[in-house]
Amino acid sequence: MQLLTKEEFSLSRKKLGKTQKKLAELLGMSLKTIHSYEQGWRTIPAHIERHLYFLLINQRGRQDSLKPCWEKKLCNVKEECPAWEFQSGHLCWFLSGTLCECTQDISQKEKLKICKQCDIFTDLMR
């Protein structure tokens, strides 16, 4: 599974209601970089993809009742996990060092690929 495509990047920006200039400011980068991502001239780095998902999920007006990952997955090591420690069970995909057996001890880039297929993440992106 590849990371975010140029089309998905552009759609995410539009869902956020941001111009290219405003998104550049929000992500702390140049307008030219945003243009490059949307034209497909540059690969969108994993940390920018994560940042976009974070913004989309935490956008004002979301009414979701967020069931934490440790409840959805019936986790037996939750009290040792950063998601539990920071009471961020809906942001487990965003946090490094989580203890899910499917994402433990892998790079953040690989983790994001796995988490994008998980119910916890996909439910948030609806």
Coordinates of all heavy atoms in Angstrom, one line a residue, residues 4-73:
L4 N 0.0 8.5 0.8 CA -1.0 9.4 0.3 C -0.7 9.8 -1.1 O 0.4 10.2 -1.5 CB -1.0 10.7 1.2 CG -2.2 11.6 1.2 CD1 -3.4 10.8 1.7 CD2 -1.9 12.8 2.0
T5 N -1.7 9.8 -2.0 CA -1.5 10.2 -3.4 C -1.8 11.7 -3.5 O -2.3 12.3 -2.6 CB -2.5 9.5 -4.3 OG1 -3.9 9.9 -4.0 CG2 -2.4 7.9 -4.2
K6 N -1.4 12.2 -4.7 CA -1.6 13.7 -4.9 C -3.1 14.0 -4.9 O -3.5 15.0 -4.3 CB -1.0 14.1 -6.2 CG -1.6 13.5 -7.5 CD -0.9 14.0 -8.7 CE -1.6 13.4 -9.9 NZ -0.9 13.9 -11.2
E7 N -4.0 13.1 -5.4 CA -5.4 13.3 -5.4 C -6.0 13.3 -3.9 O -6.8 14.1 -3.6 CB -6.1 12.3 -6.2 CG -5.8 12.3 -7.7 CD -4.5 11.6 -8.1 OE1 -3.9 10.9 -7.3 OE2 -4.1 11.7 -9.3
E8 N -5.5 12.4 -3.1 CA -5.9 12.3 -1.8 C -5.5 13.5 -1.0 O -6.2 14.0 -0.1 CB -5.4 11.0 -1.1 CG -6.0 9.7 -1.7 CD -5.3 8.5 -1.2 OE1 -4.1 8.5 -1.1 OE2 -6.0 7.4 -1.0
F9 N -4.3 14.0 -1.3 CA -3.8 15.1 -0.6 C -4.7 16.3 -0.9 O -5.1 17.1 0.0 CB -2.3 15.4 -1.0 CG -1.7 16.6 -0.3 CD1 -1.0 16.4 0.9 CD2 -1.8 17.9 -0.8 CE1 -0.4 17.5 1.5 CE2 -1.2 18.9 -0.2 CZ -0.5 18.7 1.0
S10 N -5.0 16.5 -2.2 CA -5.8 17.7 -2.6 C -7.2 17.5 -2.0 O -7.8 18.5 -1.5 CB -5.9 17.7 -4.1 OG -6.7 18.8 -4.5
L11 N -7.8 16.3 -2.0 CA -9.1 16.1 -1.4 C -9.1 16.4 0.1 O -10.0 17.1 0.7 CB -9.6 14.7 -1.6 CG -10.9 14.3 -1.1 CD1 -12.0 15.2 -1.7 CD2 -11.2 12.9 -1.3
S12 N -8.0 16.0 0.8 CA -7.9 16.3 2.2 C -7.8 17.8 2.5 O -8.5 18.3 3.4 CB -6.6 15.7 2.8 OG -6.7 14.3 2.7
R13 N -7.1 18.5 1.7 CA -7.0 20.0 1.8 C -8.4 20.6 1.6 O -8.8 21.5 2.4 CB -6.1 20.6 0.8 CG -6.0 22.1 0.8 CD -5.0 22.7 -0.2 NE -5.3 22.4 -1.6 CZ -6.3 22.9 -2.3 NH1 -7.1 23.9 -1.8 NH2 -6.5 22.6 -3.6
K14 N -9.2 20.1 0.7 CA -10.5 20.6 0.4 C -11.5 20.3 1.6 O -12.3 21.1 2.0 CB -11.0 20.1 -0.9 CG -10.3 20.7 -2.1 CD -10.6 20.1 -3.4 CE -9.7 20.7 -4.5 NZ -9.8 19.9 -5.7
K15 N -11.3 19.1 2.1 CA -12.2 18.7 3.3 C -11.9 19.6 4.5 O -12.8 19.9 5.3 CB -11.9 17.2 3.7 CG -12.6 16.2 2.7 CD -12.4 14.8 3.2 CE -13.0 13.8 2.4 NZ -12.8 12.4 2.9
L16 N -10.7 20.0 4.6 CA -10.3 21.0 5.7 C -10.8 22.4 5.4 O -10.7 23.2 6.3 CB -8.8 21.0 5.9 CG -8.2 19.7 6.5 CD1 -6.7 19.7 6.4 CD2 -8.6 19.6 8.0
G17 N -11.2 22.6 4.2 CA -11.6 24.0 3.8 C -10.5 25.0 3.7 O -10.7 26.2 4.0
K18 N -9.3 24.5 3.3 CA -8.1 25.4 3.3 C -7.7 25.6 1.8 O -7.7 24.7 1.0 CB -7.0 24.7 4.0 CG -7.2 24.5 5.5 CD -7.4 25.8 6.2 CE -7.7 25.5 7.7 NZ -8.2 26.7 8.4
T19 N -7.2 26.8 1.6 CA -6.6 27.1 0.3 C -5.2 26.5 0.4 O -4.7 26.1 1.5 CB -6.4 28.6 0.1 OG1 -5.5 29.1 1.1 CG2 -7.7 29.3 0.1
Q20 N -4.5 26.4 -0.7 CA -3.1 25.9 -0.7 C -2.2 26.8 0.2 O -1.4 26.2 1.0 CB -2.5 25.9 -2.1 CG -3.2 24.8 -3.0 CD -2.6 24.8 -4.4 OE1 -2.1 25.8 -4.9 NE2 -2.7 23.6 -5.0
K21 N -2.4 28.1 0.1 CA -1.6 29.0 1.0 C -1.9 28.7 2.5 O -1.0 28.6 3.3 CB -1.9 30.4 0.6 CG -1.1 31.4 1.4 CD -1.4 32.8 1.0 CE -0.4 33.7 1.8 NZ -0.8 35.0 2.0
K22 N -3.2 28.6 2.8 CA -3.5 28.4 4.3 C -3.0 27.0 4.8 O -2.6 26.9 5.9 CB -5.0 28.5 4.5 CG -5.5 29.9 4.4 CD -5.0 30.7 5.5 CE -5.6 32.1 5.5 NZ -5.0 33.0 6.5
L23 N -3.1 26.0 3.9 CA -2.6 24.7 4.3 C -1.1 24.7 4.5 O -0.5 24.1 5.4 CB -3.0 23.6 3.3 CG -2.6 22.2 3.7 CD1 -3.3 21.8 5.0 CD2 -2.9 21.2 2.6
A24 N -0.4 25.5 3.6 CA 1.1 25.6 3.7 C 1.4 26.2 5.1 O 2.3 25.8 5.8 CB 1.6 26.5 2.6
E25 N 0.7 27.3 5.5 CA 0.9 27.9 6.7 C 0.6 27.0 7.9 O 1.4 26.9 8.9 CB 0.0 29.2 6.9 CG 0.4 30.3 5.9 CD -0.6 31.4 5.9 OE1 -1.7 31.3 6.6 OE2 -0.4 32.3 5.1
L26 N -0.4 26.2 7.8 CA -0.8 25.3 8.8 C 0.2 24.1 9.0 O 0.5 23.7 10.1 CB -2.2 24.7 8.5 CG -2.9 23.9 9.5 CD1 -3.2 24.7 10.8 CD2 -4.2 23.4 9.0
L27 N 0.8 23.7 7.9 CA 1.8 22.6 8.0 C 3.2 23.1 8.1 O 4.1 22.3 8.3 CB 1.7 21.8 6.7 CG 0.4 21.0 6.5 CD1 0.4 20.3 5.2 CD2 0.2 20.0 7.6
G28 N 3.4 24.5 8.1 CA 4.7 25.0 8.3 C 5.6 24.8 7.1 O 6.8 24.5 7.3
M29 N 5.1 25.0 5.9 CA 5.9 24.7 4.7 C 5.6 25.8 3.7 O 4.7 26.6 3.9 CB 5.7 23.3 4.2 CG 4.3 23.0 3.8 SD 4.0 21.3 3.2 CE 4.8 20.4 4.5
S30 N 6.3 25.8 2.6 CA 6.1 26.8 1.6 C 4.9 26.4 0.7 O 4.5 25.2 0.6 CB 7.3 26.9 0.7 OG 7.5 25.7 -0.1
L31 N 4.3 27.4 0.1 CA 3.2 27.2 -0.9 C 3.7 26.4 -2.1 O 3.0 25.5 -2.6 CB 2.7 28.6 -1.4 CG 1.7 28.6 -2.5 CD1 0.4 27.8 -2.0 CD2 1.3 30.0 -2.8
K32 N 5.0 26.5 -2.5 CA 5.5 25.8 -3.6 C 5.6 24.3 -3.2 O 5.3 23.4 -4.1 CB 7.0 26.3 -3.9 CG 7.6 25.6 -5.1 CD 8.9 26.2 -5.4 CE 9.5 25.6 -6.6 NZ 10.8 26.2 -7.0
T33 N 5.8 23.9 -2.0 CA 5.8 22.5 -1.6 C 4.4 21.9 -1.7 O 4.2 20.8 -2.2 CB 6.3 22.4 -0.1 OG1 7.6 22.9 0.0 CG2 6.3 20.9 0.4
I34 N 3.4 22.7 -1.3 CA 2.0 22.2 -1.4 C 1.7 22.0 -2.9 O 1.1 21.0 -3.3 CB 1.0 23.3 -0.8 CG1 1.2 23.4 0.7 CG2 -0.5 22.8 -1.1 CD1 1.0 22.2 1.5
H35 N 2.1 23.0 -3.8 CA 1.9 22.8 -5.2 C 2.6 21.5 -5.7 O 2.0 20.8 -6.5 CB 2.5 24.0 -6.0 CG 1.8 25.3 -5.8 ND1 2.3 26.5 -6.2 CD2 0.5 25.6 -5.4 CE1 1.4 27.4 -5.9 NE2 0.3 26.9 -5.5
S36 N 3.8 21.3 -5.2 CA 4.5 20.1 -5.7 C 3.8 18.8 -5.2 O 3.8 17.8 -6.0 CB 5.9 20.1 -5.1 OG 6.7 21.2 -5.6
Y37 N 3.2 18.8 -4.1 CA 2.5 17.6 -3.6 C 1.3 17.4 -4.5 O 1.0 16.3 -4.9 CB 2.1 17.7 -2.1 CG 3.2 17.7 -1.1 CD1 3.0 18.3 0.1 CD2 4.4 17.2 -1.4 CE1 4.0 18.3 1.1 CE2 5.4 17.1 -0.4 CZ 5.2 17.7 0.8 OH 6.2 17.7 1.8
E38 N 0.5 18.4 -4.7 CA -0.7 18.3 -5.5 C -0.5 18.0 -7.0 O -1.4 17.5 -7.6 CB -1.6 19.5 -5.3 CG -2.1 19.6 -3.9 CD -3.3 20.6 -3.7 OE1 -3.8 21.2 -4.6 OE2 -3.8 20.7 -2.5
Q39 N 0.7 18.4 -7.5 CA 1.0 18.1 -8.9 C 1.6 16.7 -9.0 O 1.8 16.3 -10.1 CB 1.9 19.2 -9.4 CG 1.2 20.5 -9.6 CD 0.0 20.5 -10.5 OE1 0.1 19.9 -11.6 NE2 -1.0 21.2 -10.1
G40 N 2.1 16.2 -7.9 CA 2.7 14.9 -8.0 C 4.2 15.0 -8.3 O 4.9 14.0 -8.6
W41 N 4.8 16.2 -8.2 CA 6.2 16.4 -8.4 C 7.0 15.9 -7.3 O 8.2 15.6 -7.4 CB 6.5 17.8 -8.7 CG 5.8 18.4 -9.9 CD1 5.4 17.7 -11.1 CD2 5.3 19.7 -10.1 NE1 4.8 18.5 -11.9 CE2 4.7 19.8 -11.4 CE3 5.4 20.9 -9.4 CZ2 4.1 20.9 -11.9 CZ3 4.8 22.0 -9.9 CH2 4.2 22.1 -11.1
R42 N 6.5 15.9 -6.1 CA 7.2 15.4 -4.9 C 6.3 14.4 -4.1 O 5.1 14.5 -4.1 CB 7.4 16.6 -3.9 CG 8.4 17.6 -4.4 CD 8.6 18.7 -3.5 NE 9.3 18.3 -2.2 CZ 9.5 19.1 -1.2 NH1 9.3 20.4 -1.3 NH2 10.1 18.7 -0.2
T43 N 7.0 13.4 -3.6 CA 6.3 12.4 -2.8 C 5.9 13.1 -1.4 O 6.7 13.8 -0.8 CB 7.2 11.2 -2.5 OG1 7.6 10.7 -3.8 CG2 6.5 10.2 -1.7
I44 N 4.7 12.8 -1.0 CA 4.2 13.3 0.3 C 4.8 12.5 1.4 O 4.6 11.3 1.5 CB 2.7 13.3 0.3 CG1 2.2 14.2 -0.8 CG2 2.2 13.8 1.7 CD1 0.8 13.7 -1.3
P45 N 5.6 13.1 2.3 CA 6.3 12.3 3.4 C 5.2 11.8 4.4 O 4.2 12.4 4.6 CB 7.2 13.3 4.0 CG 7.2 14.5 3.2 CD 6.0 14.5 2.3
A46 N 5.6 10.7 5.0 CA 4.7 10.1 6.0 C 4.3 11.1 7.1 O 3.2 11.1 7.6 CB 5.3 8.8 6.6
H47 N 5.2 11.9 7.6 CA 4.9 12.8 8.7 C 3.9 13.9 8.2 O 3.1 14.3 9.0 CB 6.2 13.5 9.3 CG 6.8 14.5 8.4 ND1 7.6 14.2 7.3 CD2 6.8 15.9 8.4 CE1 8.1 15.3 6.8 NE2 7.6 16.3 7.4
I48 N 3.9 14.3 7.0 CA 2.9 15.2 6.5 C 1.5 14.5 6.4 O 0.5 15.1 6.7 CB 3.3 15.8 5.1 CG1 4.6 16.6 5.3 CG2 2.2 16.6 4.5 CD1 4.5 17.8 6.3
E49 N 1.5 13.3 5.9 CA 0.3 12.5 5.8 C -0.3 12.3 7.2 O -1.5 12.6 7.4 CB 0.6 11.1 5.2 CG -0.6 10.2 5.1 CD -0.3 8.9 4.4 OE1 0.8 8.6 4.1 OE2 -1.3 8.2 4.1
R50 N 0.5 12.0 8.2 CA 0.0 11.8 9.6 C -0.6 13.2 10.1 O -1.7 13.2 10.7 CB 1.1 11.4 10.5 CG 1.5 10.0 10.3 CD 2.7 9.6 11.2 NE 2.4 9.8 12.6 CZ 3.2 10.4 13.5 NH1 4.3 11.0 13.1 NH2 2.9 10.6 14.7
H51 N 0.1 14.3 9.8 CA -0.4 15.6 10.2 C -1.8 15.9 9.6 O -2.7 16.4 10.3 CB 0.6 16.6 9.8 CG 0.5 17.9 10.6 ND1 1.6 18.7 10.8 CD2 -0.5 18.6 11.1 CE1 1.2 19.8 11.5 NE2 -0.1 19.7 11.6
L52 N -1.9 15.6 8.3 CA -3.2 15.8 7.6 C -4.3 15.0 8.3 O -5.4 15.5 8.5 CB -3.1 15.5 6.1 CG -2.7 16.6 5.2 CD1 -2.6 16.0 3.8 CD2 -3.6 17.8 5.2
Y53 N -4.1 13.7 8.5 CA -5.1 12.9 9.1 C -5.4 13.4 10.5 O -6.6 13.4 10.9 CB -4.6 11.4 9.2 CG -4.4 10.7 7.9 CD1 -3.4 9.9 7.7 CD2 -5.3 11.0 6.9 CE1 -3.2 9.2 6.5 CE2 -5.2 10.3 5.7 CZ -4.1 9.4 5.5 OH -4.0 8.8 4.3
F54 N -4.4 13.8 11.3 CA -4.7 14.4 12.6 C -5.6 15.6 12.5 O -6.6 15.7 13.2 CB -3.3 14.8 13.2 CG -3.5 15.5 14.6 CD1 -3.6 14.7 15.7 CD2 -3.6 16.8 14.7 CE1 -3.8 15.2 17.0 CE2 -3.7 17.4 16.0 CZ -3.8 16.6 17.1
L55 N -5.4 16.5 11.5 CA -6.2 17.7 11.4 C -7.6 17.3 10.9 O -8.6 17.8 11.5 CB -5.6 18.6 10.3 CG -4.3 19.3 10.7 CD1 -3.6 20.0 9.5 CD2 -4.4 20.2 11.9
L56 N -7.7 16.3 10.0 CA -9.1 15.9 9.6 C -9.9 15.3 10.7 O -11.1 15.6 10.9 CB -8.9 14.9 8.4 CG -8.5 15.5 7.1 CD1 -8.1 14.4 6.1 CD2 -9.7 16.3 6.5
I57 N -9.2 14.5 11.5 CA -9.9 13.8 12.6 C -10.3 14.7 13.7 O -11.4 14.6 14.3 CB -9.0 12.6 13.1 CG1 -9.0 11.5 12.1 CG2 -9.5 12.1 14.5 CD1 -8.0 10.4 12.3
N58 N -9.5 15.7 13.9 CA -9.8 16.7 15.0 C -10.5 18.0 14.6 O -10.5 18.9 15.3 CB -8.5 17.0 15.8 CG -8.1 15.7 16.5 OD1 -8.7 15.3 17.5 ND2 -7.0 15.1 16.1
Q59 N -11.0 18.0 13.4 CA -11.7 19.1 12.8 C -12.9 19.5 13.7 O -13.6 18.6 14.2 CB -12.1 18.7 11.4 CG -12.3 19.8 10.5 CD -12.5 19.3 9.0 OE1 -12.5 18.1 8.8 NE2 -12.6 20.2 8.1
R60 N -13.1 20.8 13.8 CA -14.2 21.3 14.6 C -15.5 20.7 14.0 O -15.7 20.7 12.8 CB -14.3 22.8 14.6 CG -15.4 23.4 15.4 CD -15.4 24.9 15.3 NE -14.2 25.5 15.6 CZ -14.0 26.1 16.8 NH1 -14.9 26.1 17.7 NH2 -12.8 26.7 17.0
G61 N -16.5 20.4 14.9 CA -17.8 19.9 14.4 C -17.9 18.4 14.3 O -19.0 17.9 14.1
R62 N -16.9 17.7 14.5 CA -17.0 16.2 14.5 C -17.8 15.8 15.7 O -17.5 16.2 16.8 CB -15.6 15.6 14.5 CG -14.9 15.7 13.2 CD -13.7 14.8 13.1 NE -14.0 13.4 13.3 CZ -14.1 12.5 12.4 NH1 -13.9 12.8 11.2 NH2 -14.4 11.3 12.7
Q63 N -18.8 14.9 15.5 CA -19.6 14.5 16.6 C -19.4 13.0 17.0 O -20.2 12.5 17.7 CB -21.1 14.7 16.2 CG -21.4 16.2 15.9 CD -21.3 17.1 17.1 OE1 -21.6 16.7 18.2 NE2 -20.7 18.3 16.9
D64 N -18.4 12.4 16.5 CA -18.1 11.0 16.8 C -18.0 10.7 18.2 O -17.4 11.5 19.0 CB -16.9 10.5 16.1 CG -16.9 10.7 14.6 OD1 -18.0 10.8 14.0 OD2 -15.9 10.8 14.0
S65 N -18.6 9.6 18.7 CA -18.2 9.1 20.0 C -17.0 8.2 19.8 O -17.1 7.2 19.1 CB -19.4 8.4 20.6 OG -19.8 7.3 19.8
L66 N -15.9 8.6 20.3 CA -14.7 7.9 20.1 C -14.4 6.8 21.1 O -14.1 7.1 22.2 CB -13.5 8.9 20.1 CG -13.6 10.1 19.1 CD1 -12.5 11.1 19.3 CD2 -13.6 9.6 17.7
K67 N -14.6 5.6 20.6 CA -14.3 4.4 21.5 C -12.8 4.2 21.4 O -12.2 4.0 20.3 CB -15.1 3.2 21.0 CG -15.0 2.0 22.0 CD -16.0 1.0 21.5 CE -15.9 -0.2 22.5 NZ -16.9 -1.3 22.1
P68 N -12.1 4.1 22.5 CA -10.6 3.9 22.5 C -10.2 2.6 22.0 O -10.9 1.6 22.1 CB -10.2 4.1 24.0 CG -11.4 4.0 24.8 CD -12.6 4.2 23.9
C69 N -9.0 2.5 21.4 CA -8.5 1.3 20.8 C -8.4 0.2 21.8 O -8.7 -1.0 21.4 CB -7.1 1.6 20.3 SG -5.9 2.2 21.5
W70 N -8.1 0.4 23.1 CA -8.0 -0.7 24.0 C -9.3 -1.3 24.3 O -9.3 -2.5 24.6 CB -7.3 -0.2 25.3 CG -8.0 0.9 26.0 CD1 -9.1 0.9 26.8 CD2 -7.6 2.3 25.9 NE1 -9.4 2.2 27.2 CE2 -8.5 3.1 26.7 CE3 -6.6 3.0 25.2 CZ2 -8.5 4.5 26.8 CZ3 -6.6 4.4 25.3 CH2 -7.5 5.1 26.1
E71 N -10.4 -0.6 24.1 CA -11.7 -1.2 24.2 C -12.1 -2.0 22.9 O -12.6 -3.1 23.0 CB -12.8 -0.2 24.5 CG -12.8 0.3 25.9 CD -13.9 1.4 26.2 OE1 -14.9 1.4 25.4 OE2 -13.7 2.1 27.2
K72 N -11.8 -1.4 21.8 CA -12.1 -2.1 20.5 C -11.3 -3.3 20.3 O -11.8 -4.3 19.8 CB -11.9 -1.1 19.3 CG -12.9 -0.1 19.2 CD -12.7 0.7 17.9 CE -13.9 1.6 17.6 NZ -13.7 2.3 16.3
K73 N -10.1 -3.3 20.8 CA -9.2 -4.5 20.5 C -9.1 -5.4 21.7 O -8.3 -6.3 21.7 CB -7.8 -4.0 20.1 CG -7.8 -3.3 18.7 CD -6.4 -3.1 18.3 CE -6.4 -2.8 16.8 NZ -5.1 -3.1 16.2

